[in-house]
């Protein structure tokens, strides 16, 4: 068995956290794709083919790790969809193979039952499915009336009320080598992968394995919260590194990982599960709690509260509240800043993605920031706000709309400047 990991897309719906491929977001000190490769290794898969973009950023990152299995890196010259990405592996595939997206750190749970179903049914293709409450965001299967697992059609992002079922395809596929022959005959378009699968659907040779456990998705940036939660539940271990310094007057509850050279000052409170990477600093009276992930060199100033949030490397913040939020690398947040993470009417939070109002399925969602953002003191960031990389938010600003990359935004004296050039 060989595995093909797809990691070449533009991750456009993952904005503003898509400066690099979304599988390079770090959780507990490692990129998401690291956990996926380790999961494949558990299945004793010896060869993994990784399809990346011409930037080769996946290859550069993974060189830092030793996996003990054969990794082959392939290039998709242009982002032409999933089918074209799989096509890049055609000359290296020897037999049946698995295709998966780069964030599936739990593939070891699903591939073995998928293989058993393939053997039992004789089907050429096995797909993994999961129930969803938002079928209009995903590829949704239509099942045969004769059997509960024979797929007869897949509808991409059906309109509300027109979905054939509530089961979404979850990005793990078991395919036969003859897939490439059928793909070669398919008219090339963005969804030609799904069009090629229709060859098997029409012949009754595609089956569905439905997982009873929630299979993580990574389409939108807020999907990271569920992935972070599952990864911590699986892998987080309590540890205090020898070089860490923790005040005797600090409070630690639950599973917490402290990296090298971490400093925790008096009256700080950490309520796990939480992860603190190397060189993190927690000031006096700070509170970090409930599935918060702080990567290397994160500074949490005095009197700040961090709840269920993900901070990438070198994020610095001072007093304030940061709940259900994600901050990219090198963000600097002024004192007194607050992320609102709940609507006044307690309804679901919606946000704009590629110009379209998008349901998040969440009632708690703070701010999602890209990289290298500076936020002045006493700012208020409204629920579900997205801020593009390399931007500045002026002091005392109330941010109630998304901010594009490389922008200067402030609302002092009822004056608003957006997308201005920075000099």
């Amino acid at each position: 068995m060989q595995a093909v990991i797809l990691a070449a897309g533009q991750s456009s719906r993952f904005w503003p956290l898509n400066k690099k491929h979304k599988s390079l977001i770090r959780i507990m000190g490692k990129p998401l794709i690291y956990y996926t490769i380790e999961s494949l290794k558990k299945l004793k898969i010896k060869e993994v083919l990784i399809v990346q973009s011409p930037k080769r950023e996946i290859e550069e990152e993974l060189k830092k790790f030793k996996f003990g299995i054969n990794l082959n890196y392939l290039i998709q010259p242009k982002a032409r969809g999933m089918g074209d990405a799989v096509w890049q592996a055609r000359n290296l595939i020897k037999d049946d193979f698995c295709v998966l997206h780069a964030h599936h750190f739990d593939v070891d749970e699903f591939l073995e039952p998928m293989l058993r179903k393939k053997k039992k049914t004789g089907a050429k293709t096995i797909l993994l499915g999961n129930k969803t409450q938002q079928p209009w965001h995903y590829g949704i299967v239509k099942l045969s009336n004769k059997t509960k697992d024979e797929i007869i059609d897949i509808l991409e992002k059906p309109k509300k009320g027109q979905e054939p079922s509530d089961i979404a395809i979850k990005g793990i596929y078991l395919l036969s080598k003859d897939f490439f022959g059928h793909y070669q005959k398919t008219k090339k378009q963005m969804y030609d992968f799904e069009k090629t699968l229709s060859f098997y659907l029409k012949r009754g040779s595609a089956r569905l394995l439905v997982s009873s456990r929630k299979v993580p998705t990574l389409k939108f940036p807020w999907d990271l919260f569920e992935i972070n939660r599952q990864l911590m539940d699986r892998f987080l271990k309590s540890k205090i590194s020898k070089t860490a310094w923790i005040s005797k007057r600090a409070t630690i509850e639950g599973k917490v990982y402290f990296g090298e050279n971490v400093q925790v000052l008096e009256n700080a409170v950490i309520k796990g599960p939480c992860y603190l990477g190397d060189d993190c600093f927690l000031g006096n009276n700070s509170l970090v709690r409930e599935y918060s992930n702080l990567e290397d060199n994160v500074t949490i100033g005095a009197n700040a509260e961090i709840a269920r949030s993900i901070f990438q490397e070198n994020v610095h913040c001072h007093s304030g509240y940061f709940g259900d939020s994600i901050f990219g690398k090198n963000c600097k947040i002024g004192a007194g800043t607050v992320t609102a993470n709940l609507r006044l009417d307690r309804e679901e939070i919606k946000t704009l993605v590629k110009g379209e109002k998008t349901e998040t399925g969440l009632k708690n969602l703070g701010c999602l920031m890209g990289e290298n953002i500076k936020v002045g003191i006493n700012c208020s960031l409204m629920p579900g706000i997205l801020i593009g990389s390399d931007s500045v938010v002026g002091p005392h600003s109330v941010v109630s709309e998304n901010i594009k990359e490389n922008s200067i935004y402030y609302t002092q004296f009822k004056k608003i400047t957006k997308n201005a050039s920075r000099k």
Side-chain angles (χ1 to χ4, degrees), residues 190-260:
M190 186 54 66
Y191 294 114
D192 52 20
F193 179 83
E194 290 78 6
K195 293 291 185 183
T196 304
L197 288 182
S198 67
F199 174 87
Y200 301 102
L201 307 183
K202 292 174 182 178
R203 287 157 179 78
S205 192
R207 295 291 188 273
L208 178 72
L209 177 71
V210 180
S211 171
S212 57
R213 186 178 70 77
K214 188 171 184 179
V215 182
T217 296
L218 195 60
K219 184 183 292 286
F220 302 107
W222 52 85
D223 293 329
L224 275 172
F225 293 116
E226 179 63 28
I227 288 178
N228 177 66
R229 179 181 293 270
Q230 290 195 29
L231 279 171
M232 282 194 176
D233 286 343
R234 268 192 169 209
F235 300 117
L236 183 66
K237 295 180 180 179
S238 293
K239 177 183 176 181
I240 300 178
S241 297
K242 292 182 179 180
T243 55
W245 184 88
I246 301 173
S247 169
K248 293 180 180 179
R249 292 166 57 188
T251 300
I252 304 170
E253 299 178 3
K255 287 197 296 185
V256 182
Y257 178 97
F258 295 90
E260 300 293 336

Side-chain angles (χ1 to χ4, degrees), residues 319 334-338 375-380 394-398:
S319 61
T337 295
V338 170
V375 179
I377 61 170
N378 297 320
C379 290
S380 299
H396 299 279
S397 292
V398 178

Side-chain angles (χ1 to χ4, degrees), residues 7 23 48 85 93 100 104 141 159 167 176 216 266 314 348 352 358:
S23 69
V48 178
I93 295 297
L100 68 157
H104 281 295
V141 299
K159 294 181 179 179
I167 300 176
S176 299
E266 291 79 10
N314 200 35
E348 177 188 355
L352 285 177
T358 302

Side-chain angles (χ1 to χ4, degrees), residues 27 42 104-105 112 139 142-143 184 198 203 232 240 286 295 305 316 369 389 405:
I27 301 294
K42 288 180 183 178
H104 281 295
F105 61 87
E112 286 186 328
K142 183 177 181 180
L143 297 173
Q184 196 169 19
S198 67
R203 287 157 179 78
M232 282 194 176
I240 300 178
S286 57
E295 292 297 320
E305 179 178 356
H316 295 187
M369 296 190 178
S389 295
E405 290 91 347

Side-chain angles (χ1 to χ4, degrees), residues 12-14 220 222 351-358 386 402:
S12 59
R13 291 185 180 86
F14 204 67
F220 302 107
W222 52 85
T351 189
L352 285 177
V353 176
K354 300 179 73 172
E356 296 183 6
K357 184 172 281 190
T358 302
L386 314 180
N402 292 351

Side-chain angles (χ1 to χ4, degrees), residues 260-264 275-282 294-299:
E260 300 293 336
N261 305 310
V262 169
Q263 295 185 60
V264 181
Y275 174 90
L276 283 71
D278 296 344
D279 302 300
C280 284
F281 176 90
L282 270 59
L294 310 182
E295 292 297 320
D296 294 350
N297 199 35
V298 168
T299 295

